[in-house]
Structures are given as structure tokens and as C-alpha cells.
Amino acid sequence: MRFLLVEDNAQLAAAILDRLALDGHVVDHAGDLGTAQDFMSTTDYDLILLDIMLPDGDGRDFLNAQRARGTDTPVIVLTARSEVSDRVGALDMGADDYIPKPFDFAELEARCRAVLRRRTGTATNVKRFGDAEFDPLAGTLRNGDKVVSLRNRELRLLEVFFAAPGQIIPKPKLVDRLFSYDEEVSENAIEVYVGRLRRHLEGSQVSIVTVRGLGYRLAVP
């Protein structure tokens, strides 16, 4: 998953980035609303973690503007304000969840998972396609009796495919899902990770098919 973190506290932002990177997520960090708006204009995000008090404005104005444009990217508000009225106000503006500072990182991760499950309309982390069973939380892929433990980018790439089974996904989109702005990477890197996933899927009905000139899709016979 690709997240946008809008947080001006450099120490807290670094800690969040490190924690989410351990889960394999790609996270772009914006220290102010202007940078966040620039990121939003060029990239689609799966989730936004949004601070309220920022150097160039109020995060709630940013949230309100995004919802007014019809942007439905899930937003979790992070703020030191803990009054009920603040929480209600953020939720009424379109936030999907609210977590007061200071918070435990395990709780933040759990809230991210819960918000993303609600977005996809599922009550469980486990995803199934054909005879393959993918658990992004456990980081495993099961084919019958075969269980594979996935590395971070393998996991996130498979997550993209399982989110849109049967659909053609262009290489540039896969690059966008797996790598942040800070990383220099070529589209050939995707071929390496796709090759790894194909080996993991050997023996199952499910395969990753190359659609020449367009991209890849997760398919069953």
C-alpha cells in the first residue's frame, strides 16, 4: 500500500515512516500542506495520515478541500487535540478515523488495517483468488499445503494484484505502488518481483500473465 503522511514533527514522522516501512508500506512524507497537495496532484494514495496543526494551515481545511473535490482516499487524523468536539468535527468533515497523540504504533497499524478493510468491504485480512489464499497481515501465500512467507515488496505487489484480480495493471502503476518518491527505480525492477511471485504461485491455478505492451494481470484458467 502507498500512504501519505502529513506531519510536521520530524521525529514523530521518522518513527512512523520506519514502523510502516517494516510492514512493507510505501510512505511519502509531507511536512506541510503545500507539499501534501503537490503529492496528491501526482499520485493516488491508499491512505492518508493527517496531522491537524501544520506550519501553513489547518489539516482539517485540507481534508475538507479533498472531500469537496470528490477525493475518497481514506484519512486517519493524527492530532494532540483530544476533545470530543474535535473528534466529531474531523469525522463529520469526512475523516475515516481519529487517533490522538501520543499513540501506540501497534494501535496506529491496527487502525490503518481496519480502515482499509472497510474501504474494500471485507471483514478479514485474508484474500482468496482461485485456489490461492493471501494473508497480507501474516505475510503468507498459501497454495494447497504449500505456504510461502513473503518479503515486504513481494507482499505489497501481491496485494496490488489481489485487490484487482483479472484486471490489467500497467507497470508504471506497480512502480508507483511499490516505491516512494525518494527511491530511484526502473520498471525492470517490477519484472524481478513479478518473477519471484510467479515462482511462489507455481503449482496453483493462479498465475500472473503478461499482457504485452499493457502490463500484468492476476488470472486463473
Side-chain angles (χ1 to χ4, degrees):
M1 294 289 183
R2 186 161 188 167
F3 295 174
L4 174 61
L5 171 64
V6 189
E7 169 60 62
D8 66 325
N9 184 313
Q11 185 175 1
L12 176 59
I16 294 173
L17 290 171
D18 288 344
R19 185 63 179 252
L20 293 176
L22 289 175
D23 286 342
H25 297 295
V26 175
V27 186
D28 293 318
H29 172 225
D32 54 58
L33 295 176
T35 304
Q37 289 165 351
D38 290 341
F39 284 161
M40 290 288 292
S41 68
T42 58
T43 303
D44 292 327
Y45 290 97
D46 299 296
L47 180 67
I48 299 171
L49 302 174
L50 177 65
D51 189 19
I52 293 297
M53 302 302 293
L54 292 156
D56 55 347
D58 191 317
R60 290 170 296 189
D61 294 334
F62 174 83
L63 171 61
N64 198 35
Q66 294 301 319
R67 294 301 185 242
R69 294 189 188 101
T71 305
D72 63 353
T73 306
V75 174
I76 297 178
V77 170
L78 315 174
T79 180
R81 295 183 174 184
S82 58
E83 289 81 1
V84 172
S85 59
D86 290 320
R87 297 198 297 270
V88 171
L91 293 170
D92 282 345
M93 283 184 184
D96 296 84
D97 204 351
Y98 185 112
I99 183 167
K101 301 176 183 177
F103 49 79
D104 185 273
F105 289 113
E107 180 183 1
L108 176 61
E109 290 171 314
R111 287 179 181 269
C112 290
R113 291 193 296 270
V115 166
L116 292 169
R117 283 199 305 271
R118 290 199 297 270
R119 179 176 175 80
T120 58
T122 59
T124 178
N125 293 300
V126 177
K127 304 175 187 296
R128 297 176 179 84
F129 184 63
D131 60 351
E133 185 177 283
F134 170 50
D135 186 339
L137 182 55
T140 57
L141 173 67
R142 178 186 294 275
N143 303 325
D145 294 331
K146 176 185 173 184
V147 179
V148 178
S149 293
L150 301 166
R151 297 178 180 178
N152 278 346
R153 285 202 169 117
E154 295 171 352
L155 188 158
R156 296 308 164 198
L157 181 58
L158 196 59
E159 198 168 40
V160 175
F161 283 120
F162 266 78
Q167 296 182 25
I168 298 173
I169 305 175
K171 271 189 183 181
K173 181 174 181 179
L174 295 177
V175 171
D176 184 69
R177 296 294 89 186
L178 261 67
F179 300 98
S180 68
Y181 283 117
D182 296 333
E183 298 173 288
E184 292 186 8
V185 62
S186 70
E187 292 183 8
N188 291 335
I190 295 299
E191 295 178 8
V192 174
Y193 291 110
V194 167
R196 292 179 184 176
L197 291 183
R198 282 172 168 160
R199 289 192 292 273
H200 295 329
L201 287 165
E202 287 177 355
S204 81
Q205 298 173 350
V206 181
S207 61
I208 299 175
V209 177
T210 300
V211 183
R212 191 171 298 278
L214 296 176
Y216 301 96
R217 66 184 178 89
L218 194 68
V220 293

